Amino acid sequence: MLKKLFGLSEPKEKKVLPWQALTEVSQLDTITEKSTGKTQLVFKHSTRCGISRMVMNQFESAYQLDLNADLYYLDLLNCREVSNEVGCKFQVMHQSPQLIVIRNGVVVAHASHGAVNEVDLEKFL
């Protein structure tokens, strides 16, 4: 009864996504190549931004683990050169947080801030 009254509940087990760290510019060629057979997702995240953290948490909660896509995590603060090259290579203006969906070597969708969680990823698989 106290749990219901005070809103206490057992902590939920946190979903662990199959993130791959995007830390090297050379990985962008691999992402491009792999995108011909499988959708590639790049999540650009600023570790100092509360909005970025909130959007990332929402994304992780909603992400379906059975999606046929590779998921990359880009820490903007530690990998600024990679972040800049993502913008140049894929012709997407830098935002944070940002989700970039790559298929057949090109960006088929991208969104930033709250719109990240509105992207229907299943359309791009």
Side-chain angles (χ1 to χ4, degrees):
M1 184 167 126
L2 288 176
K3 286 182 182 180
K4 283 186 180 181
L5 182 63
F6 293 106
L8 301 174
S9 62
E10 297 295 320
K12 292 181 183 178
E13 190 172 314
K14 185 173 175 153
K15 185 189 312 182
V16 177
L17 298 191
W19 292 112
Q20 298 177 57
L22 179 50
T23 58
E24 302 290 331
V25 169
S26 62
Q27 289 176 274
L28 300 179
D29 290 333
T30 302
I31 289 171
T32 301
E33 290 170 20
K34 290 173 69 177
S35 74
T36 60
K38 188 177 190 181
T39 301
Q40 306 293 296
L41 308 173
V42 175
F43 190 98
K44 294 171 70 175
H45 173 61
S46 172
T47 55
R48 286 191 209 145
C49 175
I51 292 172
S52 191
R53 171 56 57 197
M54 179 184 68
V55 169
M56 185 174 183
N57 287 342
Q58 291 170 342
F59 178 83
E60 289 178 329
S61 293
Y63 188 82
Q64 298 173 12
L65 291 172
D66 62 347
L67 287 180
N68 186 29
D70 291 328
L71 185 59
Y72 292 87
Y73 170 86
L74 175 55
D75 178 340
L76 298 174
L77 300 177
N78 287 323
C79 301
R80 178 61 65 190
E81 179 187 5
V82 178
S83 176
N84 292 340
E85 188 61 28
V86 166
C88 290
K89 183 172 184 73
F90 296 113
Q91 297 298 296
V92 177
M93 185 182 352
H94 167 74
Q95 298 282 326
S96 170
Q98 184 174 44
L99 178 67
I100 302 171
V101 182
I102 303 159
R103 187 82 182 140
N104 295 319
V106 296
V107 173
V108 294
H110 64 91
S112 63
H113 298 85
V116 164
N117 293 308
E118 296 171 10
V119 175
D120 181 5
L121 294 175
E122 290 185 20
K123 289 179 15 182
F124 305 106
L125 301 179

